[in-house]
Amino acid sequence: MAFRTRITEMLGIEHPIVQGGMQSVGYAELASAVSNAGGLGILTALTQPSPEALRDEIERCRAMTGKPFGVNMTVFPTINAPDYKAYAQAIIDGGVKIVETAGTQAVREIWEMLKPHGVTILHKCTAVRHALSAERAGCDIVSIDGFECAGHPGEDDIPGLILIPAAADKVRIPLLASGGFGDGRGLVAALSLGAEGINMGTRFCATQEAPIHDNVKQAYVDNDERGSFLIFRSFKNTARVGKSAVSEEVVRRLSQPDAQFSDVQELVAGAAGRELLQTGDLSRGVFWAGMVQGLIHDIPTCQQLIDRIIAEAEAIIDQRLAGMRA
Ligand SMILES: Cc1cc2nc3c(=O)[nH]c(=O)nc-3n(C[C@H](O)[C@H](O)[C@H](O)COP(=O)(O)O)c2cc1C
């Protein structure tokens, strides 16, 4: 059996499982492995140092899979903002037809560039009101990220159990449930709550093909459901990172009265995080991780992981739930 939803149809994929964009992880190795396993793999545009490098990475990914894959564009206002439009042009030139976006409303200028080229826009947000606004503005699929998620859960702290059905009650375009998913139980739950697929980040980091150091993969296995911290709350830019000596120190410094970003800047720098992922030296910086770490106990291939999720989901529906019918 397989699951067919509006999302599998729109994206042309076998299973309703998407790998979310991940800075310094979303390279062709991972994206192609997810796509080859029947899900949707996603390259992360800004992981590439330039739009030209993104063009090459798209070509590399295409050589590694004949199946559909996407590119993530995360748009945040920063002092030295990258040339987002040049990255979007690289996506268009590369012929990619699925783009996952995240970030501020400025992302809509990118949609305007992409849509005339027949690109399906999958927009990630953390609140029902933002999902509705994205729908009105013409995105095709909303990925709704609950409080459990790695990365940026927003400031409302609504877990998926409430956020997903609350969004499903109001949003008419297909919904991907994101944040806290890692197994077949989660997939069945997401479909029950009104989503038409799941998006996973942390779980895909702990796979054979994730191009990060084994020590980091092992940290995802070793951390349990309490193994993540929220940081940057006081700056209204909350981020969920994995538990480690460094992230504990970040939390400690930021809990001091009048704490400033500069107090932790060197600990949370993007370059430090990149180095951590590559070298496996967890003392270098912080790494993104979600509460789903509590459900991660091994480091399978993407094919094994996706096959297992689908088999578990089928068994839950056909045996466990069917067996409970009075
Ligand atoms: C290592 C890592 C890096 C991430 N980088 C990005 C990013 O650059 N842009 C983005 O939109 N989301 C990013 N995310 C969030 C994921 O795309 C996804 O929304 C999230 O991980 C879902 O929650 P989960 O980790 O519980 O599955 C990242 C997540 C991880 C684990």
Side-chain angles (χ1 to χ4, degrees):
M1 190 173 97
F3 294 90
R4 198 169 73 209
T5 71
R6 283 188 293 172
I7 286 181
T8 58
E9 299 288 294
M10 284 168 78
L11 301 181
I13 55 177
E14 197 182 338
H15 303 303
I17 300 176
V18 173
Q19 166 245 314
M22 290 188 278
Q23 186 65 11
S24 305
V25 184
Y27 289 97
E29 284 75 10
L30 180 60
S32 64
V34 174
S35 290
N36 283 331
L40 183 81
I42 293 189
L43 298 173
T44 309
L46 301 183
T47 291
Q48 298 301 322
S50 66
E52 292 68 38
L54 176 59
R55 273 189 192 86
D56 294 345
E57 190 69 1
I58 290 169
E59 280 315 303
R60 212 162 69 81
C61 197
R62 187 157 289 129
M64 294 164 83
T65 181
K67 306 255 181 85
F69 63 90
V71 177
N72 166 283
M73 282 277 296
T74 306
V75 176
F76 278 121
T78 50
I79 301 162
N80 293 317
D83 186 349
Y84 291 116
K85 289 188 175 170
Y87 278 94
Q89 190 59 49
I91 293 171
I92 293 166
D93 295 346
V96 173
K97 295 297 179 198
I98 302 168
V99 171
E100 178 198 52
T101 59
T104 64
Q105 287 219 355
V107 84
R108 294 187 189 172
E109 284 181 46
I110 304 298
W111 297 1
E112 295 314 314
M113 281 181 71
L114 297 171
K115 284 183 85 59
H117 297 274
V119 174
T120 298
I121 307 283
L122 202 161
H123 184 64
K124 194 157 54 187
C125 45
T126 58
V128 176
R129 61 192 183 283
H130 298 157
L132 285 169
S133 156
E135 178 181 52
R136 275 194 303 274
C139 87
D140 301 293
I141 295 171
V142 164
S143 189
I144 192 100
D145 235 341
F147 180 60
E148 302 90 336
C149 74
H152 293 276
E155 309 306 319
D156 293 346
D157 300 354
I158 311 295
L161 196 57
I162 305 299
L163 186 65
I164 298 158
D169 281 344
K170 294 196 171 152
V171 175
R172 283 207 283 271
I173 57 174
L175 274 181
L176 261 181
S178 181
F181 294 98
D183 59 25
R185 295 172 294 186
L187 174 56
V188 175
L191 299 176
S192 305
L193 294 172
E196 301 190 41
I198 54 173
N199 180 62
M200 306 194 300
T202 306
R203 176 64 268 202
F204 277 122
C205 289
T207 58
Q208 292 293 324
E209 295 92 342
I212 58 177
H213 197 281
D214 284 348
N215 289 353
V216 187
K217 297 181 189 182
Q218 194 57 43
Y220 289 121
V221 173
D222 293 343
N223 272 337
D224 64 15
E225 62 278 12
R226 297 165 72 225
S228 69
F229 291 131
L230 295 179
I231 58 174
F232 305 157
R233 176 116 283 188
S234 54
F235 312 129
K236 292 204 166 23
N237 185 25
T238 300
R240 188 181 291 285
V241 295
K243 184 174 180 180
S244 70
V246 176
S247 61
E248 277 181 282
E249 177 61 13
V250 172
V251 170
R252 193 193 65 75
R253 290 191 197 177
L254 289 178
S255 65
Q256 305 302 308
D258 300 323
Q260 307 290 317
F261 183 70
S262 54
D263 297 335
V264 296
Q265 192 160 9
E266 99 266 22
L267 299 179
V268 301
R274 211 163 32 247
E275 207 180 307
L276 177 154
L277 293 176
Q278 282 161 11
T279 63
D281 179 354
L282 297 185
S283 73
R284 297 302 308 167
V286 296
F287 59 101
W288 305 109
M291 291 177 167
V292 74
Q293 288 174 115
L295 305 179
I296 297 178
H297 308 299
D298 62 356
I299 303 171
T301 65
C302 290
Q303 184 79 57
Q304 288 166 340
L305 177 63
I306 289 179
D307 287 350
R308 186 168 73 199
I309 291 173
I310 297 298
E312 274 175 10
E314 289 170 359
I316 290 168
I317 295 168
D318 297 346
Q319 294 162 33
R320 188 160 196 276
L321 298 184
M324 287 176 178
R325 293 292 303 276

